[in-house]
Amino acid sequence: MKSLILFATVFIALCSCQTFPIPKYNVDKYIVTSTISLRFACTKVYSQITNTRDESQELCFDITLPEDAFVSNLCMEVDGMKYRGIVEEKERARLEYNHLLTSKVTVALVEAVEAVNQLFKVCTAVRARSSASFIVEYTLPVSLLQG
């Protein structure tokens, strides 16, 4: 019986010393809507993410698109301000993003991470205890089945 009590005491001591990290963010909403019209499927993905930390940090939203899809709209809302995506050359966009990131201006960068898999990533700096919303709309041609 003594060994059992000793084990329980050691186990409780180990558990009480363990610390758990604060999560970087919470996904508050994730809504996907699709409509099919005139041989095209239009899909809208809405995600709202909250920075749960006490300091600002960069939060990212990843999305994998179907192979034949193309992005038709990209919007972001941070601190009540809405921003619409602008297409620029990759290297120039990266340099401008890094420059603006250090100047504490709201900025985001969208990158095609893997061209083969159509993986896109949107990142932005979010203030402490604030949230950001991302809207990605993409269009996909629908092939008709004959038969």
Side-chain angles (χ1 to χ4, degrees), residues 18-116:
Q18 193 174 22
T19 59
F20 298 100
I22 298 171
K24 287 185 176 184
Y25 59 88
N26 283 338
V27 177
D28 301 317
K29 292 182 185 176
Y30 192 86
I31 302 168
V32 179
T33 55
S34 292
T35 57
I36 298 175
S37 178
L38 302 173
R39 298 176 67 176
F40 287 95
C42 299
T43 303
K44 179 180 179 180
V45 180
Y46 173 84
S47 179
Q48 183 178 8
I49 303 171
T50 300
N51 177 4
T52 58
R53 297 233 171 135
D54 291 327
E55 67 269 352
S56 65
Q57 67 173 334
E58 183 180 60
L59 297 181
C60 297
F61 169 70
D62 299 345
I63 185 168
T64 302
L65 302 181
E67 188 175 328
D68 294 332
F70 59 91
V71 175
S72 54
N73 185 25
L74 174 68
C75 293
M76 182 179 65
E77 184 175 337
V78 180
D79 295 331
M81 298 290 296
K82 291 186 180 184
Y83 304 93
R84 190 172 176 97
I86 300 170
V87 178
E88 287 196 25
E89 180 189 346
K90 186 176 182 176
E91 294 304 319
R92 181 174 180 208
R94 171 59 73 185
L95 289 172
E96 189 172 341
Y97 174 75
N98 288 337
H99 172 72
L100 291 174
L101 194 60
T102 59
S103 63
K104 297 184 180 180
V105 173
T106 300
V107 63
L109 181 66
V110 180
E111 294 182 283
V113 179
E114 295 178 25
V116 175

Side-chain angles (χ1 to χ4, degrees), residues 11-24:
F11 181 72
I12 291 170
L14 287 175
C15 290
S16 64
C17 293
Q18 193 174 22
T19 59
F20 298 100
I22 298 171
K24 287 185 176 184

